Amino acid sequence: MQSALLLLASAGAVSAQLATTSEPSLSQIQQAAATVVPSSPTSNVGGAVFKNFYQVWLENIDYDAAAGDENQKYLASKGITLTNYWAVAHPSEPNYVSAVGGDQFAMDNDDFIQIPANISHVADLLDTKGISWGEYQENTPYPGFQGFNYSNQKTYANDYVRKHNPLIIFDSVASNATRSTRIKNFTSLWDDVANNKLPQWAFITPNMTNDAHDTNITFASVWERGFIEKLENSTDFWNESLILLTFDETEHYPIGNRIFSILLGGAVPKELVGTTDDTFYTHYSTLSTVEANWGLPSLGRWDCGANIFQLVADKVGYTNYKVDTSNLYLNSSFIGPLSTNDYSNYSSVWAAPATGNETCAAGHGILQAVKDTWGKLTPTYNYTSPFPYDTVSGKDIKVSFSRNGTTWISGVNDTKIATTTSGTSPSSTSSTAAATSSGAASVNGVSGGLALALSSFISFAAIL
Ligand SMILES: *[C@@H]1O[C@H](CO)[C@@H](O)[C@H](O)[C@H]1NC(C)=O
Ligand SMILES: *[C@@H]1O[C@H](CO)[C@@H](O)[C@H](O)[C@H]1NC(C)=O
Ligand SMILES: *[C@@H]1O[C@H](CO)[C@@H](O)[C@H](O)[C@H]1NC(C)=O
Ligand SMILES: *[C@@H]1O[C@H](CO)[C@@H](O)[C@H](O)[C@H]1NC(C)=O
Ligand SMILES: *[C@@H]1O[C@H](CO)[C@@H](O)[C@H](O)[C@H]1NC(C)=O
Ligand SMILES: *[C@@H]1O[C@H](CO)[C@@H](O)[C@H](O)[C@H]1NC(C)=O
Ligand SMILES: *[C@@H]1O[C@H](CO)[C@@H](O)[C@H](O)[C@H]1NC(C)=O
Ligand SMILES: *[C@@H]1O[C@H](CO)[C@@H](O)[C@H](O)[C@H]1NC(C)=O
Ligand SMILES: *[C@@H]1O[C@H](CO)[C@@H](O)[C@H](O)[C@H]1NC(C)=O
Ligand SMILES: *[C@@H]1O[C@H](CO)[C@@H](O)[C@H](O)[C@H]1NC(C)=O
Ligand SMILES: *[C@@H]1O[C@H](CO)[C@@H](O)[C@H](O)[C@H]1NC(C)=O
Ligand SMILES: CC(=O)N[C@H]1CO[C@H](CO)[C@@H](O)[C@@H]1O
């Protein structure tokens, strides 16, 4: 581990032999923390609608539970409520990764994952125009920390977890100290605010207490409102920014994965404050929106066809898809190299992105590095669709797998999947999944009776 520590300590150094340990020792962490210097590059690149894009993610809350919280309502009153914004998978990690990588990469777990350097992500896109980027991960012990977690050292309560830190999961960030040292904790956030050193793009992850993971929507919303109110007076953070407040996924897995989301910040026009927007969005929309705003190319993955936040789409003249969300779940992953479930057709092959001159990124095409690396391969999926559709069947790309006796599904308008009830335990959950699917109830949230029936899921969902 010594070499890894030295490497992390010298900004700019690059090596393929970086620490891959999931649990560095406390003394290794302390050594690195004593030497690794945070980096805060800045830039000032104008965009169609906003100059900065910041997103704050909370954890594991169903749409209705968040929409009913008084502090969420307060925050919503200050901006635009996105009523049709969807997470893309379960559990946490594939959602975080999708928001920077444009794909879940078939991840169906929260494991210690390292995505190879030939897979591009949002930082590669931003770098094409020198747009500064970074992450603020509360309680990460030092910039670019790669361990699996860093807990409260007095109580050992969860604090920082790698699964909520999307860019560190990509080797081309983790193994490049110039990049990894932009992944900092909240101490650095307040320093950067005070010193006008905020990046133009930032992903913000509160600790496991503040983000509702180990607490609840009431606690997390009090925290979030306080956090936003502290930043509202920072011209740098607020005035020309689009700020997304969202959740990684719903708490309950068998229901549609729609999550309560809000757009705030000085980039929201006055006339839109207090309004709702029911355009269909997913975590991939955070990429397509950033691409359209700054005229960046696409990753050629699910960011390609993803709907663009309407206030940006209107400005750049892009027409969003209308998506029928009847029976939509988006509650499981695909099949591929990061799958750990017992798929009969497991594949270790990384999906090939689109590389042709497609309409991706509102017409800005595909990142050159993606074309160079993947251009000889046929795209694995039809990435120009607004969300996973199989080009052959015309249906959603779906998987069905069994875990703990429950069949997990991802489907839209697919009666075969909708009526799937296999598994033995817990039997109430699989029959509930089937019941949800038989109607078009998923967009409208969970009904009272269903919510009750689903409550047996809480403990299962909460571990993830
Ligand atoms: C934040 O990171 C800095 C190093 O940049 C470290 O000194 C500090 O202890 C960390 N703070 C917290 C609360 O984790
Ligand atoms: C990571 O989490 C484990 C399990 O809670 C804990 O024992 C360990 O101390 C944590 N590691 C660090 C560096 O905080
Ligand atoms: C989470 O962050 C808050 C500050 O935002 C801090 O007071 C708390 O100790 C952190 N960790 C835990 C486990 O609560
Ligand atoms: C490391 O990251 C910096 C900043 O993105 C980039 O300029 C440099 O080319 C990267 N180095 C390597 C070897 O990829
Ligand atoms: C929410 O979480 C906080 C912090 O853990 C706790 O004090 C409070 O009792 C919880 N509220 C509910 C309704 O569970
Ligand atoms: C922000 O500014 C408003 C108006 O000047 C003021 O009422 C509020 O207390 C300030 N908030 C913080 C956290 O400083
Ligand atoms: C930032 O916006 C606030 C109102 O939200 C305004 O009072 C302030 O003057 C603005 N700052 C700058 C530098 O424009
Ligand atoms: C995309 O279009 C450009 C300009 O017309 C062309 O040079 C390039 O070869 C095209 N790339 C692909 C992959 O079709
Ligand atoms: C990308 O990298 C992975 C891991 O090194 C490798 O297996 C794969 O063949 C590479 N794909 C391409 C298209 O270069
Ligand atoms: C790909 O998806 C788009 C949008 O849903 C659709 O218009 C197009 O026909 C699809 N292409 C194929 C080959 O299925
Ligand atoms: C879903 O079903 C509805 C009603 O049965 C139908 O109108 C719609 O075209 C279907 N959508 C898709 C994407 O198959
Ligand atoms: C009863 C049962 O099969 N429990 C399993 C549920 O899944 C977790 C995590 O995948 C396993 O650890 C349990 O053994």
Side-chain angles (χ1 to χ4, degrees), residues 14 127 133 176 178-179 182:
V14 182
D127 276 353
W133 52 268
N176 181 338
T178 305
R179 298 178 132 199
R182 300 177 190 186

Side-chain angles (χ1 to χ4, degrees), residues 355-357 371:
T355 51
N357 281 342
K371 292 188 196 179

Side-chain angles (χ1 to χ4, degrees), residues 354-374:
T355 51
N357 281 342
E358 317 224 13
T359 53
C360 301
H364 296 286
I366 312 273
L367 182 71
Q368 192 58 47
V370 171
K371 292 188 196 179
D372 293 348
T373 308
W374 302 90

Side-chain angles (χ1 to χ4, degrees), residues 226 229-233:
E229 283 179 341
K230 261 208 259 180
L231 287 162
E232 215 170 345
N233 291 345

Side-chain angles (χ1 to χ4, degrees), residues 10-22:
S10 60
V14 182
S15 162
Q17 320 141 27
L18 206 71
T20 57
T21 178
S22 59

Side-chain angles (χ1 to χ4, degrees), residues 90-342:
H90 290 303
S92 290
E93 195 166 354
N95 286 296
Y96 286 81
V97 161
S98 65
V100 299
D103 204 331
Q104 347 164 339
F105 302 105
M107 199 187 307
D108 55 12
N109 55 73
D110 280 330
D111 294 354
F112 189 95
I113 301 284
Q114 293 173 292
I115 296 178
N118 61 9
I119 308 262
S120 301
H121 45 74
V122 68
D124 298 320
L125 302 181
L126 295 164
D127 276 353
T128 64
K129 287 204 171 171
I131 299 165
S132 50
W133 52 268
E135 282 189 28
Y136 297 102
Q137 294 279 328
E138 190 168 26
N139 295 124
T140 192
Y142 61 85
F145 173 61
Q146 293 187 45
F148 198 54
N149 65 285
Y150 186 72
S151 302
N152 182 303
Q153 294 301 311
K154 289 198 187 83
T155 61
Y156 291 97
N158 293 319
D159 261 339
Y160 164 82
V161 287
R162 178 186 170 100
K163 66 182 173 175
H164 297 170
N165 179 351
L167 283 171
I168 205 72
I169 293 163
F170 289 79
D171 279 352
S172 69
V173 172
S175 65
N176 181 338
T178 305
R179 298 178 132 199
S180 65
T181 51
R182 300 177 190 186
I183 301 180
K184 300 169 286 185
N185 62 28
F186 278 18
T187 308
S188 293
L189 169 63
W190 300 116
D191 287 349
D192 289 348
V193 167
N195 300 325
N196 295 340
K197 289 282 217 173
L198 288 169
Q200 288 190 257
W201 181 100
F203 194 99
I204 301 175
T205 304
N207 70 26
M208 295 276 272
T209 296
N210 292 332
D211 76 0
H213 186 282
D214 294 347
T215 51
N216 50 57
I217 185 62
T218 310
F219 185 94
S221 302
V222 169
W223 173 84
E224 188 165 56
R225 177 172 168 174
F227 180 76
I228 289 298
E229 283 179 341
K230 261 208 259 180
L231 287 162
E232 215 170 345
N233 291 345
S234 157
T235 297
D236 240 26
F237 185 88
W238 193 266
N239 284 39
E240 294 175 79
S241 302
L242 189 64
I243 300 158
L244 170 69
L245 307 181
T246 191
F247 295 82
D248 68 330
E249 57 179 338
T250 56
E251 176 186 12
H252 298 100
Y253 284 16
I255 65 174
N257 210 351
R258 189 176 58 119
I259 46 180
F260 189 72
S261 305
I262 302 167
L263 292 177
L264 292 174
V268 173
K270 276 205 177 66
E271 66 271 19
L272 292 181
V273 169
T275 61
T276 59
D277 172 2
D278 60 7
T279 312
F280 175 82
Y281 302 120
T282 62
H283 287 319
Y284 301 127
S285 299
T286 64
L287 290 166
S288 59
T289 297
V290 158
E291 291 158 8
N293 180 67
W294 277 303
L296 303 174
S298 168
L299 298 168
R301 296 189 183 271
W302 297 111
D303 59 319
C304 174
N307 277 348
I308 294 167
F309 291 152
Q310 197 63 47
L311 76 168
V312 177
D314 286 344
K315 198 68 181 265
V316 302
Y318 182 85
T319 307
N320 279 322
Y321 291 97
K322 285 199 165 56
V323 173
D324 181 353
T325 54
S326 312
N327 297 332
L328 180 64
Y329 296 95
L330 295 183
N331 68 356
S332 76
S333 200
F334 309 137
I335 298 171
L338 301 179
S339 313
T340 54
N341 281 290
D342 187 17

